[in-house]
Amino acid sequence: MIVYLRLLSTSFGFAINALRTNKLRTALSFLGVTIGIFSIIAVLAAVDSMDKNIKSELSGFDRNMIYVFNYSFGPSEVPKWKSEQYPKMKYEEYDYLKRNLSGVEYASFNYFTKSEQMKYGSNYAEVIMRPCSSDMQYLDNVKVSNGRFFSESESVNGVPVVVIGHEVANTLFNGLNPVGQEVRLYGKRFTVIGVIEKQGSISIGGNQDESVYMPVNIMRQMYGDNSLVATTVVILKPSSGVDIKHFEDEITNKLKLFRGLKPSDEKNFFVNVFGGMLDMIEKIIGQMNVVGWIISGFSLLVGGFGIANIMFVSVKERTHLIGIQKAIGAKRRFILFQFLFEAVILSLIGGVVGIIMVWGIAVLVSNVVDFEFVLSLSNICIGLTLSAFIGILSGYLPARSAARLDPVEAIRMGG
């Protein structure tokens, strides 16, 4: 064991000496390893961070939430031209489903619409509009820090009240308590009745901090269910314990019946399960990982050739020394491991530089952007393991050629 520790120490000395005496050649050679490890770890860290942030953001949402409207969350067998002709969801259909479906815990009729400008005094804010029913506070996991959310009665009667996001409150009111104040939207006056807790930016569904929730029937009074400026959606959440597949089938059958379609007729709407969208996101994240590995693999391949080049040159420069070592009794295995360790150390140096670069970017991104970029211990271990593997792979042939040198011939060639 002591012999191998000394061997490792000697190899480390040779590797550092190679860096000192041939700075440019060595730096250029393990640059490929550095770029390869940087690329792989950067992709893995970015994807892991994205995955972690998305899961954290959506932890309060139920995977069984269902969105019923004339678009599909994912790929569909229905041609796009055909789905574009599907009728939009109507409030009467929402009301019918809410009253007739078994096992509904929450239901909301929503408008997916464009952003609008909200005004208070001389202050303006660009806001994400969320016209909806009162149950949306539970479906969207809305947490009100000041005031309250609007009631079912206010939603049905179209009372001109709004619940605003944290960022909207800061932009418009500058520290003034927004609750009870009047703002202007769509040329009308609305009373602020609640402010949402600060959430931070999210990747899916828009940012609550910049959102404004308002009773959906106000929008219906202004534009109707078939407005060209918005898409109408029915969002449903089944009660705990309800079989999701059975619930989907019941929605399909009830809505077909309401629309006058036969059970055998093709449906003219989509029943989208929220969990299906999450599965699609996870699939995309997995594909991003694969693409990252493939692209980075080419850099590692180039880096491996660079390390191999250094080691072949090193074997040639130390042929005389190898001959002397073998002449005084050094075994093939000793010579093999000496050069193999040197290749691994050089590769690890390149890998460590790549990991440090990713760490620097992670710190910079986390401080500049509202996004937690995490470089996990597992990703660091992957980077170091890959570096060592590349070192072994690229250093084996040079080390083997050194180990097989004839001592007499090596001393003569070296001399």
Side-chain angles (χ1 to χ4, degrees), residues 157-219:
N157 294 316
V159 178
V161 293
V162 290
V163 179
I164 64 176
H166 181 270
E167 192 60 37
V168 178
N170 286 345
T171 302
L172 290 180
F173 297 97
N174 297 319
L176 180 71
N177 184 7
V179 177
Q181 304 295 333
E182 284 193 345
V183 294
R184 292 192 71 85
L185 262 176
Y186 301 110
K188 299 177 179 291
R189 292 184 180 275
F190 290 80
T191 303
V192 178
I193 60 170
V195 179
I196 304 168
E197 282 184 10
K198 180 176 174 57
Q199 182 195 44
S201 61
I202 69 170
S203 310
I204 297 173
N207 187 350
Q208 281 189 9
D209 292 346
E210 299 173 359
S211 295
V212 170
Y213 290 82
M214 62 182 282
V216 71
N217 277 355
I218 297 176
M219 185 68 78

Side-chain angles (χ1 to χ4, degrees), residues 243-261:
D243 182 80
I244 187 65
K245 188 66 178 70
H246 176 76
F247 193 68
E248 285 182 72
D249 292 339
E250 190 179 0
I251 292 170
T252 300
N253 294 333
K254 295 284 187 186
L255 194 50
K256 274 186 174 183
L257 179 65
F258 189 86
R259 290 188 170 184
L261 299 174

Side-chain angles (χ1 to χ4, degrees), residues 215-334:
V216 71
N217 277 355
I218 297 176
M219 185 68 78
R220 290 185 64 232
Q221 291 165 9
M222 290 191 296
Y223 296 112
D225 293 345
N226 289 314
S227 168
L228 296 176
V229 300
T231 299
T232 51
V233 185
V234 174
I235 306 177
L236 303 159
K237 179 185 174 184
S239 302
S240 178
V242 172
D243 182 80
I244 187 65
K245 188 66 178 70
H246 176 76
F247 193 68
E248 285 182 72
D249 292 339
E250 190 179 0
I251 292 170
T252 300
N253 294 333
K254 295 284 187 186
L255 194 50
K256 274 186 174 183
L257 179 65
F258 189 86
R259 290 188 170 184
L261 299 174
K262 297 176 183 177
S264 58
D265 289 343
E266 183 181 309
K267 62 184 180 183
N268 55 0
F269 54 88
F270 290 99
V271 180
N272 300 282
V273 181
F274 189 69
M277 183 175 71
L278 296 185
D279 292 338
M280 185 177 68
I281 291 170
E282 289 175 2
K283 186 178 178 181
I284 292 170
I285 287 173
Q287 290 171 345
M288 288 170 63
N289 262 328
V290 171
V291 171
W293 274 91
I294 291 172
I295 294 172
S296 306
F298 287 106
S299 296
L300 284 176
L301 187 64
V302 173
F305 283 124
I307 298 295
N309 179 59
I310 290 177
M311 296 314 300
F312 274 119
V313 172
S314 186
V315 169
K316 187 175 181 181
E317 289 175 346
R318 284 152 49 193
T319 301
H320 183 71
L321 180 59
I322 295 167
I324 294 172
Q325 287 179 323
K326 297 195 79 174
I328 61 175
K331 295 181 179 180
R332 283 188 176 185
R333 187 172 57 183
F334 180 88

